[in-house]
Amino acid sequence: MPDDRQRVVVLGASSTPERYSNMAVNHYLSGDRQKAIAYLTTALRRDAGLKEALFNLALLYDQEGDSRKAAEQWGRYVDVDSNGPYAAFA
């Protein structure tokens, strides 16, 4: 398994926001919430309207107990996907 430096090279500069979002899910599932947050943040720097990343980042901040950051992300998520299936949840 590649270490973090190799993983960055594999992802490369041309990686899509979706790939960063998927990597975040992988890190979350392996128990590393901080790396998941970092990957989601990168995904959102590349595409501020990526619904999945906004939703997952809000969930992670909730799980981390950071209600201020969670509320900010929930707001951004609803702004992007106000009619989506999870908008009422947010």
Side-chain angles (χ1 to χ4, degrees):
M1 174 169 254
D3 67 20
D4 288 338
R5 290 168 301 188
Q6 292 168 320
R7 198 172 289 127
V8 169
V9 170
V10 169
L11 286 173
S14 65
S15 289
T16 65
E18 291 82 4
R19 281 183 84 184
Y20 282 98
S21 185
N22 290 339
M23 288 297 294
V25 171
N26 289 336
H27 284 292
Y28 173 78
L29 293 174
S30 69
D32 194 339
R33 288 183 184 168
Q34 292 307 308
K35 278 190 181 178
I37 289 170
Y39 274 98
L40 289 169
T41 301
T42 299
L44 291 167
R45 273 198 305 268
R46 291 170 179 251
D47 181 356
L50 186 60
K51 294 181 283 191
E52 296 82 2
L54 289 167
F55 185 88
N56 288 333
L57 189 55
L59 283 175
L60 276 168
Y61 283 139
D62 268 344
Q63 291 175 1
E64 291 290 303
D66 193 334
S67 57
R68 183 188 61 78
K69 286 184 179 179
E72 179 183 322
Q73 296 308 314
W74 286 127
R76 290 177 63 199
Y77 172 77
V78 170
D79 286 345
V80 170
D81 197 24
S82 61
N83 294 321
Y86 300 109
F89 175 81

